[in-house]
Amino acid sequence: MGKTNQSSVTEFVLLGLSGYPELEAIYFVLVLCMYLVILLGNGVIIIVSVCDTHLHTPMYFFLSNLSFLDICYTSSSIPLFLSSFLMSKKTISFSGCGVQMFLSFTMGATECVLLSMMAFDRYVAICNPLRYSIIMSRTSYVPMAAGSWIAGGVNSMLQTSLAMRLPFCGDNVINHFTCEILAVLKLACADISINVISMAIANIIFLVVPVLFIFVSYVFILSTILKIPSAEGKRKAFSTCSAHLTVVIIFYGTILFMYAKPKAKDSSGADKVQVTDKIISLFYGVVTPMLNPLIYSLRNKDVKEATKNVLCQKCSSERM
């Protein structure tokens, strides 16, 4: 019976902001502009990290991975989000929903682990600088980044397969912009306790553990910085990790607020709360990837210099 019910749902309707048409046009323009900035900013980070040999270091290798991840994450959902404004029927196929859920879940979980790897890199650079080249060699940081992607992919495959195997009994309206897993689970007409347990375990592994790891790393980093005698030395040491710390606060602050806070039950009085949840989700999915390259480049002389060098080389080649 469960299989019959599940097969009857061949597509999902994405509600988005359908109840607020006055907001749709505004958000379409905003999100489109933000998406273009994401592609441009993160694309520049990747190009300069690859082309400039001075940036062939663990920190910029992780940063280029983060930029590529942000492009993939937003590209898995933003085009769908934008197209929904242009179509009267805002639908996505059952299989398409699964693919979109898998990609977004992979990128989110991978970024959690990747940020903790970047925190370890900063810890070694500041607390153990004499052994930095040995500890953070290519044979170390490449597997660290690869492990982040593999862990995110495995977790996403598990969560997505558990969610898409559930029976959906007729109600196919997702009260969200995309196939967000919590919104999809609300449509299931079966026990979702296994999903809840698996997501709770995943939250511990991909949220709590990395946050604790980053926190401990920065405790040692701050302790080391405070021991530096000169104010200039303290400023330089802190500037090397301030961008990463800012990204961590924005990323984890938003995602923890989204998933750790109690969810409002569906009722006539919960519309404003649901709209707020959607806007927060939009902030997490668009604004954070847009800010990452800006945060890392505005106060980073190496990135600015590398960008100028790459542009100058391109101009010179075009003249020739």
Side-chain angles (χ1 to χ4, degrees):
M1 185 69 179
K3 292 183 179 179
T4 303
N5 288 338
Q6 184 178 9
S7 61
S8 64
V9 177
T10 58
E11 63 181 17
F12 291 102
V13 177
L14 301 172
L15 192 59
L17 292 173
S18 298
Y20 301 87
E22 68 279 1
L23 295 178
E24 286 191 339
I26 297 174
Y27 276 101
F28 177 83
V29 175
L30 285 177
V31 173
L32 177 60
C33 294
M34 290 177 181
Y35 183 53
L36 295 176
V37 173
I38 289 169
L39 296 178
L40 177 62
N42 287 287
V44 169
I45 293 291
I46 294 172
I47 292 172
V48 299
S49 297
V50 172
C51 295
D52 196 306
T53 56
H54 296 94
L55 301 185
H56 291 178
T57 63
M59 183 178 75
Y60 293 106
F61 177 78
F62 287 130
L63 180 57
S64 61
N65 270 263
L66 182 64
S67 294
F68 177 71
L69 187 151
D70 284 337
I71 291 176
C72 292
Y73 177 79
T74 52
S75 297
S76 70
S77 57
I78 298 305
L80 175 65
F81 172 79
L82 293 174
S83 64
S84 67
F85 288 126
L86 305 177
M87 298 183 297
S88 58
K89 192 177 181 182
K90 308 174 190 298
T91 60
I92 183 173
S93 66
F94 188 87
S95 58
C97 182
V99 171
Q100 194 273 321
M101 185 187 299
F102 170 78
L103 291 175
S104 61
F105 228 112
T106 298
M107 302 308 155
T110 301
E111 186 160 356
C112 290
V113 182
L114 190 62
L115 287 174
S116 66
M117 297 297 101
M118 295 174 75
F120 178 74
D121 172 70
R122 293 299 83 204
Y123 160 77
V124 177
I126 294 176
C127 299
N128 205 345
L130 297 180
R131 299 193 61 201
Y132 179 77
S133 59
I134 299 174
I135 298 175
M136 295 303 297
S137 63
R138 185 175 180 82
T139 56
S140 297
Y141 66 78
V142 172
M144 288 167 65
S148 301
W149 285 93
I150 293 172
V154 170
N155 174 66
S156 179
M157 186 177 297
L158 173 63
Q159 302 299 335
T160 303
S161 61
L162 288 175
M164 301 309 288
R165 288 174 60 186
L166 291 170
F168 299 94
C169 305
D171 188 4
N172 65 338
V173 179
I174 299 177
N175 190 14
H176 212 275
F177 298 115
T178 59
C179 288
E180 201 268 342
I181 189 167
L182 295 180
V184 173
L185 290 179
K186 290 181 180 180
L187 305 181
C189 56
D191 183 18
I192 61 171
S193 57
I194 298 298
N195 301 78
V196 173
I197 293 172
S198 65
M199 288 188 66
I201 295 173
N203 285 340
I204 293 174
I205 296 173
F206 290 95
L207 287 177
V208 178
V209 173
V211 166
L212 290 176
F213 185 86
I214 293 171
F215 176 77
V216 172
S217 298
Y218 273 98
V219 167
F220 285 105
I221 288 173
L222 291 176
S223 176
T224 303
I225 291 177
L226 292 176
K227 293 178 182 178
I228 298 176
S230 65
E232 182 65 18
K234 291 179 180 178
R235 188 191 64 80
K236 288 183 178 180
F238 184 75
S239 65
T240 63
C241 59
S242 59
H244 174 259
L245 186 59
T246 303
V247 170
V248 166
I249 292 173
I250 295 174
F251 177 81
Y252 280 108
T254 309
I255 198 172
L256 285 173
F257 183 78
M258 282 173 56
Y259 292 108
K261 72 183 184 67
K263 294 292 175 181
K265 295 182 179 180
D266 290 334
S267 63
S268 58
D271 289 344
K272 291 184 179 180
V273 176
Q274 291 175 358
V275 171
T276 301
D277 288 347
K278 293 177 186 178
I279 294 174
I280 294 172
S281 175
L282 183 65
F283 176 85
Y284 164 69
V286 181
V287 178
T288 303
M290 182 187 70
L291 291 178
N292 285 352
L294 297 177
I295 293 171
Y296 273 101
S297 62
L298 287 178
R299 297 180 61 186
N300 193 310
K301 294 181 179 179
D302 293 334
V303 174
K304 290 180 180 179
E305 189 65 28
T307 303
K308 291 179 181 178
N309 293 337
V310 171
L311 291 176
C312 290
Q313 290 175 4
K314 185 178 179 179
C315 293
S316 299
S317 61
E318 288 179 352
R319 291 175 181 175
M320 293 178 63

